[in-house]
Amino acid sequence: QVQLVESGGGLVQAGGSLRLSCVASGRTFSMYAMGWFRQAPGKEREFVAAIRSGGSTNYADSVKGRFTISRDNAKNTVYLQMNSLKPEDTAVYNCAPVFLSGDMWYANVNAFRSWGQGTQVTVSS
């Protein structure tokens, strides 16, 4: 199982950019598809983006064209480059190993011990 540490969040004006990082422990990182999720106050956690071990990617419609997920297996790190940020992107962002079922991505809860602390992204209007 991997452990996850997210960083890179902050306060930014609408239209700005941030780059989030997630470092995962463990030697099996490269085997997993990895994803980013976010949770806004009073809302359910939602899928944002995923990247397979081979590098192919998927995005939620709400972030498509603005966010880019990438990974560096040598560093056990997955990134989320967020451009053209909007106030509705405000949330706590977490990463996790993921799997695809049908056309939905889910956290692979058997592959990690617990959610990391996440990183807060706040976008002001």
Side-chain angles (χ1 to χ4, degrees):
Q1 292 182 320
V2 297
Q3 290 182 296
L4 307 157
V5 179
E6 301 93 347
S7 64
L11 173 63
V12 63
Q13 289 188 329
S17 298
L18 285 172
R19 189 195 195 202
L20 307 184
S21 299
C22 168
V23 179
S25 67
R27 293 176 292 178
T28 57
F29 172 82
S30 62
M31 297 171 53
Y32 292 118
M34 294 294 297
W36 284 95
F37 296 82
R38 66 186 181 186
Q39 187 168 19
K43 294 188 176 182
E44 295 290 320
R45 181 178 282 126
E46 65 174 359
F47 167 78
V48 174
I51 183 167
R52 294 175 177 82
S53 56
S56 60
T57 58
N58 286 98
Y59 299 92
D61 288 343
S62 58
V63 306
K64 203 170 294 183
R66 301 187 297 122
F67 291 10
T68 302
I69 188 172
S70 60
R71 66 190 297 162
D72 184 339
N73 289 336
K75 296 181 178 180
N76 276 19
T77 302
V78 60
Y79 304 99
L80 186 68
Q81 177 66 44
M82 306 187 297
N83 298 329
S84 302
L85 282 161
K86 304 176 180 180
E88 51 263 43
D89 295 318
T90 295
V92 175
Y93 285 70
N94 285 90
C95 69
V98 294
F99 69 96
L100 182 65
S101 179
D103 60 355
M104 296 285 291
W105 287 94
Y106 298 90
N108 184 351
V109 295
N110 293 319
F112 66 108
R113 296 182 183 181
S114 61
W115 291 97
Q117 83 287 352
T119 187
Q120 175 71 50
V121 172
T122 303
V123 185
S124 63
S125 57

